[in-house]
Amino acid sequence: MHDIINESNRLNRRTFLGQSAGGLGALGLSTLLHRTGWAATGTQNSLPHFAPKAKRVIYLFQSGAPSQIETFDHKPILHQRHGQELPESIRQGQRLTGMTAGQSSFPMAGSQFPFSRHGQSGTWFSSLLPHTAKVADDICVINSMHTDAINHDPAATLIQTGSQFPGRPAIGSWIDYGLGSDNENLPAFIVLITKERYGQPLYARLWGNGFLPSQHQGVQFRSGKDPVLYLNNPPGVDFKDRRDQLDILRQLQERQSQRFNDPEIQTRIAQYEMAFRMQTSVPEITNTTDEPDHIFDLYGETSRDSGTFAANCLLARRMAEKGVKFIQLYHRGWDQHDDLPSGIQRQCKDTDQASAALITDLKQRGMLDETLVVWGGEFGRTNYSQGELTQTNYGRDHHPKCFSIWMAGGGIQGGRTYGQTDDFSYNIVENSVHIHDFQATLMHLMGIHHEQFTFKFQGRRFRLTDVHGHVLHDLMV
Amino acid sequence: MIAFDAPNRSVCTVKREHTNTPIQALTLLNDPEFMEAARVLAQRMQLEAGKTIDHQLNLGFRLLCGRYPDATELNLLTTLFDRAYTKYENNPEATNALLEVGAYPLNPKLDRVQTAALTQVASTIMNFDEAYMKR
């Protein structure tokens, strides 16, 4: 029944567009086609469901899974018992990955990096995160994250899309679909990947729209001097020529849409209009020459080098200022199966200063309250060493049963440490936070009731959190 | 090919991911390689389809879409061609700039304004759904 109603609505809309195509200006038409998310359709479920605390999200995804033991989860016992066997009472027969399941010994490894308390809150940080430690009172460290997956791809897919199986919409796509855009001239969901940091592959489906209309997929900017290529018209083609061209093209595509009933064609029309507007809006964002030196100093020297994590953090702030709703960064290289001490030093050096700078910068612009910032990977790492353990060197395998992330701004209480693991950073003993709980909380901060926000596909109503997820009201301001 | 989310060839892929982004539109509209292809196609339309504009547009459309345009489509393309022709007729600098895109030699026997205007039309057809979507 609903399908029939949907179909008739679609036909009505098409008839309307067909009849009015000549009368409406191109801009008005493209607005109609493109940015009217769910929010504007005026249904009884119109979004947001309630007043949002956050207007946008900047998600600093640390791909490869940073070790919680060298960063946020302070475990002196691991240090004291460095080299001793992991007690079976802790592991409790947990299934390990093929990378360490065959090891005859599981020697515990303590962090090589000392911990200390910071801020008025006294949050623990390792010495690898001196800058993040300075914003201790603005962030909430969650040490009790856990996930269902033990390998990178399903775990990253789970935390980004709510399912270990590929094909579901990314969080950013749900947000884009549900809330629409605050800026007609830019995609609402933009993806930035650090250059020259390799590791686990990143697939477009991590920022894919899944079954949602494809205009809601994340738009990946390149990491380099030109984040978007081909923004300029070809030589000899001016603004008016392009407009003429797109107007004719749109009419051709509209007829095509009637012929095939393929929603992808409507998306394509919208994406061509977006491309047209991005030709002016993107350079305004990516040209950072108007930033003063003290801002580059804040984010660190590498922020002057396009495509680095620091430069992407700065871009993220500029996008946030322009109303981009979901800005997804990826920084790879956290998969320290061996040589963890040197590897994680490099990774923290890449990310620590700029992540903290982003918090400071948003705060000084009065934007932190309305911008949710998330920092974290897809799972944690084992407390025992993968491969040979020496006094100064070791590796860590994947560990899904606990890991640490932090959240800040956008309605999250700063200066908190939430959740607790056992003395070995192996199991959670207090306030566990599943991936779905994290997602439900993120949705809640954006003004969305995660249980009511669904999309019908193949006869079933899907949601980001499937049938799970508890909102962590306790973390909110 | 990153813009089109082509799989990395180091691993096997059962199915291409379906993507549809403004980045792809920008590439097809503005990448010099595609503009060069549009210009060369504009030359071919003149060389192989005779003098009348209808025949030229028909050929260009058929080469890109595998069928002839219907009356409405041809009408739209003609409108675009006329606008482009008027523009390039009155703006030799723009004509020169457009015709210089790409390395493929320009055929000196062909009318420059006609080639420029047809290039604009060819580029438009190359961006038409049916020209690059497999359905």
Side-chain angles (χ1 to χ4, degrees):
Chain A
M1 188 63 194
H2 286 290
D3 292 338
I4 294 169
I5 292 167
N6 286 344
E7 181 62 15
S8 73
N9 284 345
R10 206 161 59 78
L11 289 171
N12 284 340
R13 189 181 73 143
R14 187 187 307 132
T15 312
F16 167 73
L17 289 173
Q19 285 168 350
S20 53
L24 282 173
L27 194 66
L29 180 64
S30 63
T31 308
L32 258 176
L33 289 173
H34 189 63
R35 290 288 105 177
T36 43
W38 233 44
T41 54
T43 67
Q44 54 178 346
N45 293 318
S46 60
L47 288 170
H49 294 127
F50 43 84
K53 293 194 164 76
K55 288 187 181 161
R56 64 193 76 86
V57 180
I58 301 176
Y59 190 161
L60 311 174
F61 189 71
Q62 309 301 321
S63 168
S67 165
Q68 75 280 15
I69 297 164
E70 273 77 13
T71 50
F72 302 102
D73 202 12
H74 179 40
K75 296 298 168 194
I77 285 189
L78 289 178
H79 204 71
Q80 290 156 20
R81 296 170 69 165
H82 192 80
Q84 294 179 25
E85 278 299 300
L86 169 64
E88 184 50 40
S89 60
I90 299 297
R91 180 181 157 193
Q92 293 174 355
Q94 190 222 338
R95 191 167 162 235
L96 307 174
T97 75
M99 289 171 283
T100 54
Q103 285 189 188
S104 54
S105 163
F106 297 98
M108 290 186 287
S111 169
Q112 293 293 301
F113 308 97
F115 274 68
S116 52
R117 287 177 172 271
H118 293 268
Q120 295 205 324
S121 53
T123 307
W124 287 103
F125 293 91
S126 87
S127 62
L128 292 174
L129 301 168
H131 292 90
T132 312
K134 284 185 207 145
V135 295
D137 292 335
D138 293 313
I139 70 176
C140 172
V141 174
I142 304 176
N143 282 327
S144 53
M145 290 293 300
H146 64 109
T147 180
D148 303 335
I150 199 169
N151 275 314
H152 297 285
D153 190 77
T157 308
L158 177 61
I159 198 166
Q160 300 247 282
T161 73
S163 167
Q164 291 190 49
F165 301 104
R168 299 278 178 85
I171 307 173
S173 293
W174 280 108
I175 298 283
D176 182 357
Y177 168 70
L179 299 175
S181 176
D182 295 332
N183 184 343
E184 301 294 319
N185 299 323
L186 287 167
F189 177 17
I190 296 180
V191 175
L192 297 167
I193 300 173
T194 308
K195 68 174 178 184
E196 292 158 13
R197 281 287 173 267
Y198 305 104
Q200 299 305 323
L202 296 169
Y203 301 96
R205 62 177 149 78
L206 290 178
W207 51 94
N209 53 290
F211 39 68
L212 297 175
S214 60
Q215 76 201 59
H216 302 293
Q217 75 189 280
V219 174
Q220 184 193 345
F221 281 22
R222 299 167 73 250
S223 42
K225 199 167 70 60
D226 298 310
V228 177
L229 289 178
Y230 312 124
L231 282 170
N232 295 323
N233 287 335
V237 175
D238 63 21
F239 179 85
K240 188 185 161 297
D241 303 329
R242 175 49 52 80
R243 192 62 263 167
D244 285 347
Q245 184 182 14
L246 290 182
D247 286 344
I248 296 289
L249 180 61
R250 194 193 68 232
Q251 292 176 60
L252 289 169
Q253 310 274 46
E254 283 291 349
R255 299 187 75 252
Q256 197 75 350
S257 176
Q258 287 173 38
R259 193 175 297 149
F260 292 106
N261 270 358
D262 180 353
E264 286 296 315
I265 301 173
Q266 286 299 331
T267 296
R268 188 156 291 114
I269 295 169
Q271 299 294 43
Y272 272 80
E273 291 301 330
M274 176 59 83
F276 180 68
R277 296 193 299 271
M278 281 169 66
Q279 292 187 273
T280 28
S281 63
V282 169
E284 285 171 12
I285 282 191
T286 55
N287 180 5
T288 53
T289 50
D290 58 343
E291 293 286 344
D293 282 347
H294 73 262
I295 290 293
F296 288 112
D297 294 344
L298 180 69
Y299 284 83
E301 199 41 49
T302 53
S303 65
R304 292 178 189 274
D305 180 8
S306 321
T308 60
F309 180 78
N312 285 347
C313 282
L314 179 56
L315 269 191
R317 192 220 77 213
R318 292 172 67 90
M319 289 175 182
E321 283 179 307
K322 294 280 182 188
V324 178
K325 204 133 220 147
F326 203 99
I327 305 151
Q328 176 72 61
L329 270 67
Y330 292 91
H331 187 79
R332 291 189 282 182
W334 289 98
D335 196 19
Q336 271 83 47
H337 286 279
D338 48 24
D339 294 330
L340 183 137
S342 64
I344 201 163
Q345 279 188 70
R346 180 199 66 218
Q347 292 296 113
C348 288
K349 194 164 182 300
D350 282 347
T351 56
D352 173 49
Q353 181 172 358
S355 304
L358 182 60
I359 300 296
T360 307
D361 201 8
L362 289 170
K363 197 176 175 186
Q364 73 192 7
R365 284 160 207 268
M367 291 168 65
L368 186 59
D369 290 347
E370 58 192 35
T371 307
L372 175 66
V373 183
V374 180
W375 189 102
E378 65 270 39
F379 44 62
R381 306 209 76 91
T382 55
N383 60 2
Y384 62 82
S385 178
Q386 171 171 359
E388 193 191 356
L389 173 73
T390 68
Q391 267 314 309
T392 54
N393 201 14
Y394 48 90
R396 297 191 190 279
D397 197 5
H398 307 166
H399 186 63
K401 298 185 78 147
C402 70
F403 66 106
S404 301
I405 68 168
W406 59 255
M407 296 170 87
I412 290 286
Q413 243 181 61
R416 292 275 308 270
T417 302
Y418 187 82
Q420 209 178 326
T421 56
D422 60 20
D423 289 343
F424 300 87
S425 194
Y426 200 97
N427 296 299
I428 293 164
V429 293
E430 189 183 286
N431 290 333
S432 68
V433 181
H434 188 267
I435 301 295
H436 291 305
D437 304 334
F438 157 73
Q439 291 164 343
T441 306
L442 186 152
M443 292 290 241
H444 184 91
L445 292 168
M446 294 296 284
I448 297 173
H449 195 302
H450 73 105
E451 291 179 340
Q452 287 168 21
F453 184 31
T454 61
F455 188 89
K456 193 172 179 194
F457 175 65
Q458 292 185 342
R460 190 193 139 179
R461 284 183 176 75
F462 285 86
R463 38 182 252 230
L464 172 63
T465 49
D466 198 9
V467 296
H468 311 282
H470 298 283
V471 176
L472 300 165
H473 291 281
D474 200 25
L475 296 184
M476 297 177 195
V477 176
Chain B
M1 288 310 282
I2 292 170
F4 292 85
D5 299 303
N8 179 334
R9 289 196 295 174
S10 64
V11 290
C12 74
T13 297
V14 177
K15 202 174 159 198
R16 278 286 296 274
E17 294 179 49
H18 281 269
T19 60
N20 191 349
T21 68
I23 308 285
Q24 295 169 1
L26 287 170
T27 306
L28 292 175
L29 286 167
N30 295 340
D31 181 348
E33 222 173 304
F34 284 99
M35 281 315 285
E36 179 183 24
R39 175 172 65 78
V40 176
L41 179 62
Q43 297 189 167
R44 190 170 163 198
M45 284 151 79
Q46 297 169 78
L47 291 169
E48 294 181 17
K51 290 281 177 216
T52 71
I53 183 62
D54 279 9
H55 285 119
Q56 292 174 0
L57 294 176
N58 268 325
L59 176 69
F61 193 94
R62 184 178 66 76
L63 289 172
L64 287 167
C65 303
R67 66 171 172 88
Y68 288 107
D70 64 23
T72 315
E73 286 164 339
L74 188 60
N75 201 12
L76 286 168
L77 295 174
T78 309
T79 308
L80 180 64
F81 172 80
D82 289 344
R83 282 183 201 164
Y85 192 92
T86 311
K87 180 237 162 90
Y88 290 112
E89 196 175 26
N90 295 311
N91 192 339
E93 265 178 38
T95 309
N96 294 339
L98 183 64
L99 297 181
E100 274 171 19
V101 176
Y104 194 88
L106 184 70
N107 188 326
K109 290 181 190 150
L110 297 171
D111 180 77
R112 294 175 70 84
V113 175
Q114 180 84 1
T115 305
L118 281 174
T119 298
Q120 177 79 334
V121 179
S123 157
T124 308
I125 306 173
M126 284 164 69
N127 280 275
F128 178 47
D129 170 78
E130 203 168 327
Y132 68 99
M133 279 307 291
K134 201 173 164 189
R135 187 174 277 114

